[in-house]
Amino acid sequence: MSFADLLDSLGGMGHFQRMSVAFLAIPLLMLASHNLLQNFTAGVPEHHCQIHITANHTTKELGADSLIRIAIPVNGKGQPEKCLRFVTTQWWLLDANATTVNDTTVDTEPCSDGWTYDRSMFTSTIISEWDLVCDSRTLRQMAQSIYMAGVLIGSVLFGGLSDRFGRKALIVWCYLQMGVSGACTAFVPNFTAYCVLRFLSGMAMSGISLNSVSLCMEWIPTKYRAIVGTINGYSYTAGQFILAGVAYAIPSWRWLQLTVSLPFFVFFLYSWLFVESARWLAISGQHKRAVTGLKRAARVNGRKKEGDELSVEVLKYHLQKELCSTKTSHSMADLVRTPGIRKISCGVSLVWFATSFAYYGLAMDLQNFGFNIYVTQLIFGVVDIPAKFISVMTITFVGRRFSQALSLILAGLCILANIFVPQDLSNLRMTFAVIGKGSLAASFNCAYIFSGELFPTVIRQSGMGLGGTMARVGSMIAPLVKMTGEFFPPLPLIIYGGAPIISGIATCFLPETRNVSLPETVEQVELRSRPNQEDELQMKVLLPSTKTDPAKNSS
């Protein structure tokens, strides 16, 4: 009997497990609020240079449009320049018959006195507060990349620490770290302090997501894990709705930052009631604590009798398979040591990197679609619901490889299509973006299942860790790619769209895992990756037909 059988005997998916899933899923609702928060706290309002009047004219009778006309040049699209103003006030432009054709011959200068911001949508953002525009505009993308760097470092740091100190201890700490760093971000005096605290928030976010999944899944019987995984995925989706609503209600970035951070103090308080993973305790040699936790779960599930019969010896009997597997030493080097596993590792790395890279390339650029940013965020959240459902259907009835490749290639094509759509066709641009975003959400859903089935049991966690790391690298690089638009405007979309297409093509070379038993060892994977006798026979038949007949060449 296995540990899963033991959990079934103590109530299976009982009241204890349902409460654990619920209380671990609630914080996941708020993770989207931090991942995508900069869409609103770093929203870029319309802006122009502070108007500098050089003549002794009264401006009281002039409206805002007239002041902009005489002080700010226009760009090629007929809109006021964001980073330039006239050196001297051009009063002659007040003439109704005057044209701005010769604006280019008039001396201009940078915005030395600061900027004026349109506060109709955002009353304040880090952009308007610290003037992160014009020459400083790239700092916006840098701030998001620093946050994602924190997510990457957190996955490495907290992943290792949780294996050493337990899931509960780390999740309690990460709730506190997220609450403190997030709340303190709302009071920072400058951009540098903001980036430091956002980095710490990114670390905490990674620790919360990793340890929530571990603590949840290690208490859940095997047959319910897919359902619970879907619940966790939809919790993040629902969090995108919450973010859109809260951001609309609170247009000030400091209050918004504080609002999405304070709930983590509540999560910190009730997290002390979590029960440490009995599986982790037992594998770590803390059998008495594991038995105590299992008895508590049995009592809550109404299986007190079965819990009272549990002992350290019974626990060790059920954990024989797990304990034997921990005695076998494996390292990250096993992911590239043999050709079959090496091909899988490369393919999985590409899938996770491209999915996350393109996902955050789209999700962190909401202002570029010409729609209300709050409505766009809501639509981007809604599309995840049918996308994930459709992906589950195709994964189940068609195949993993097909679903993964299709979702990636479709996402890439939709992103590339927007290169050729004019900015004024906002409905069409939005349609392509929504389909692309939904495809990437489906790709994430496929990747979790497909990756886990490709790697053998002995190195499955290492393989999933590799995929997760590549995903975080992709999310960290995605904001920086946006800067390439300074040199060639379509270049970011070319890169965002090309990466998933290349990854989708590479996915076609990975083995199909639908209706295939999970491999236990590296040797099983290598045997499966070799062509069988029928394939070899077909190759022998096909290869001669592709060769040129030497006799024909000589004649």
Side-chain angles (χ1 to χ4, degrees):
M1 294 179 70
S2 65
F3 187 78
D5 296 323
L6 178 60
L7 287 178
D8 284 330
S9 68
L10 299 179
M13 193 66 185
H15 191 55
F16 173 85
Q17 279 78 10
R18 291 195 295 270
M19 285 197 305
S20 297
V21 170
F23 283 107
L24 284 166
I26 292 172
L28 298 181
L29 293 170
M30 303 305 297
L31 290 187
S33 296
H34 281 270
N35 269 353
L36 306 174
L37 186 61
Q38 263 201 204
N39 276 324
F40 304 99
T41 59
V44 183
E46 289 296 323
H47 56 276
H48 58 76
C49 295
Q50 287 276 13
I51 293 176
H52 177 60
I53 303 299
T54 56
N56 292 325
H57 279 68
T58 177
T59 60
K60 292 182 179 179
E61 68 276 8
L62 296 178
D65 291 341
S66 297
L67 285 173
I68 293 174
R69 184 177 176 84
I70 63 177
I72 308 296
V74 295
N75 57 24
K77 298 179 181 179
Q79 298 172 341
E81 286 280 1
K82 299 178 184 294
C83 303
L84 294 173
R85 68 180 182 185
F86 293 126
V87 174
T88 57
T89 308
Q90 304 301 303
W91 295 102
W92 62 277
L93 289 173
L94 290 176
D95 185 353
N97 296 321
T99 63
T100 56
V101 173
N102 295 323
D103 280 356
T104 54
T105 64
V106 180
D107 290 337
T108 58
E109 63 181 358
C111 306
S112 56
D113 298 328
W115 290 261
T116 298
Y117 297 94
D118 178 4
R119 301 187 185 275
S120 59
M121 180 171 290
F122 307 110
T123 57
S124 71
T125 67
I126 65 170
I127 305 298
S128 59
E129 184 163 331
W130 295 317
D131 290 333
L132 305 182
V133 292
C134 297
D135 291 342
S136 301
R137 61 185 175 275
T138 56
L139 294 179
R140 178 177 185 262
Q141 282 77 31
M142 186 179 296
Q144 181 66 14
S145 287
I146 289 172
Y147 170 78
M148 288 301 179
V151 175
L152 173 61
I153 299 300
S155 67
V156 176
L157 178 63
F158 290 129
L161 289 176
S162 69
D163 288 336
R164 183 175 180 182
F165 297 106
R167 284 56 165 132
K168 178 183 174 180
L170 266 294
I171 204 168
V172 169
W173 170 259
C174 288
Y175 285 153
L176 179 61
Q177 180 173 322
M178 179 65 90
V180 171
S181 60
C184 289
T185 303
F187 302 98
V188 292
N190 54 55
F191 180 70
T192 302
Y194 172 85
C195 289
V196 170
L197 289 171
R198 284 286 288 167
F199 178 84
L200 295 175
S201 294
M203 289 181 63
M205 194 287 295
S206 194
I208 291 169
S209 60
L210 286 172
N211 289 288
S212 293
V213 170
S214 297
L215 187 58
C216 186
M217 292 301 181
E218 288 172 2
W219 274 112
I220 302 300
T222 305
K223 61 183 177 182
Y224 294 104
R225 287 182 181 176
I227 298 173
V228 172
T230 302
I231 291 172
N232 289 339
Y234 278 118
S235 295
Y236 184 86
T237 297
Q240 297 181 59
F241 306 155
I242 294 173
L243 174 61
V246 174
Y248 179 78
I250 307 174
S252 172
W253 83 268
R254 290 186 183 273
W255 284 106
L256 176 59
Q257 177 74 45
L258 188 63
T259 301
V260 299
S261 300
L262 290 179
F264 285 93
F265 288 106
V266 178
F267 306 148
F268 166 72
L269 292 175
Y270 77 59
S271 64
W272 289 94
L273 301 176
F274 290 155
V275 179
E276 180 59 274
S277 166
R279 186 189 297 268
W280 175 82
L281 287 170
I283 291 176
S284 301
Q286 304 178 57
H287 299 100
K288 290 184 178 179
R289 284 186 62 195
V291 169
T292 301
L294 288 167
K295 287 184 175 181
R296 181 177 173 183
R299 187 168 59 252
V300 174
N301 287 339
R303 298 290 184 90
K304 187 175 184 301
K305 180 181 177 182
E306 290 83 349
D308 291 339
E309 295 173 353
L310 187 62
S311 64
V312 172
E313 289 71 22
V314 173
L315 176 62
K316 287 182 177 179
Y317 170 74
H318 284 86
L319 276 170
Q320 284 179 358
K321 184 176 180 181
E322 285 85 349
L323 291 173
C324 288
S325 64
T326 59
K327 294 176 182 178
T328 306
S329 177
H330 290 279
S331 66
M332 294 296 288
D334 291 315
L335 295 174
V336 294
R337 183 171 287 127
T338 56
I341 295 293
R342 186 161 54 242
K343 183 174 75 171
I344 290 172
S345 298
C346 291
V348 166
S349 296
L350 276 173
V351 165
W352 280 99
F353 174 85
T355 302
S356 183
F357 174 71
Y359 182 93
Y360 284 101
L362 279 178
M364 295 305 300
D365 195 27
L366 300 187
Q367 286 184 281
N368 196 39
F369 300 115
F371 267 74
N372 180 285
I373 189 172
Y374 304 106
V375 175
T376 303
Q377 177 63 67
L378 191 62
I379 295 173
F380 269 31
V382 169
V383 73
D384 282 11
I385 297 175
K388 290 179 178 179
F389 177 76
I390 292 171
S391 72
V392 169
M393 293 296 101
T394 58
I395 287 169
T396 305
F397 298 107
V398 181
R400 278 66 159 153
R401 180 172 58 189
F402 172 83
S403 303
Q404 187 73 74
L406 177 65
S407 59
L408 283 166
I409 293 173
L410 180 60
L413 291 175
C414 287
I415 294 171
L416 292 178
N418 265 338
I419 296 174
F420 307 100
V421 180
Q423 289 287 341
D424 55 341
L425 296 179
S426 55
N427 287 338
L428 185 56
R429 291 181 63 83
M430 187 64 168
T431 300
F432 281 128
V434 168
I435 296 173
K437 167 66 163 54
S439 299
L440 291 168
S443 179
F444 267 125
N445 217 36
C446 297
Y448 277 109
I449 298 172
F450 194 28
S451 301
E453 293 177 343
L454 285 169
F455 288 106
T457 301
V458 292
I459 56 170
R460 184 166 293 125
Q461 285 302 105
S462 297
M464 294 298 288
L466 173 65
T469 299
M470 293 305 297
R472 288 166 177 85
V473 171
S475 65
M476 183 176 68
I477 295 175
L480 300 178
V481 169
K482 185 69 179 171
M483 300 180 190
T484 62
E486 302 291 328
F487 309 103
F488 181 55
L491 188 55
L493 288 180
I494 293 173
I495 298 173
Y496 290 140
I501 290 176
I502 293 171
S503 177
I505 294 171
T507 301
C508 297
F509 295 94
L510 293 174
E512 177 57 70
T513 60
R514 177 174 173 265
N515 296 332
V516 177
S517 60
L518 288 178
E520 297 290 337
T521 65
V522 173
E523 289 75 14
Q524 288 179 358
V525 174
E526 293 302 322
L527 286 173
R528 290 179 183 179
S529 66
R530 295 172 188 169
N532 56 36
Q533 291 182 355
E534 183 179 349
D535 291 336
E536 289 180 348
L537 182 60
Q538 289 178 351
M539 291 298 290
K540 288 178 181 178
V541 172
L542 290 171
L543 281 175
S545 64
T546 62
K547 294 178 181 179
T548 304
D549 188 351
K552 291 183 180 180
N553 288 339
S554 60
S555 58

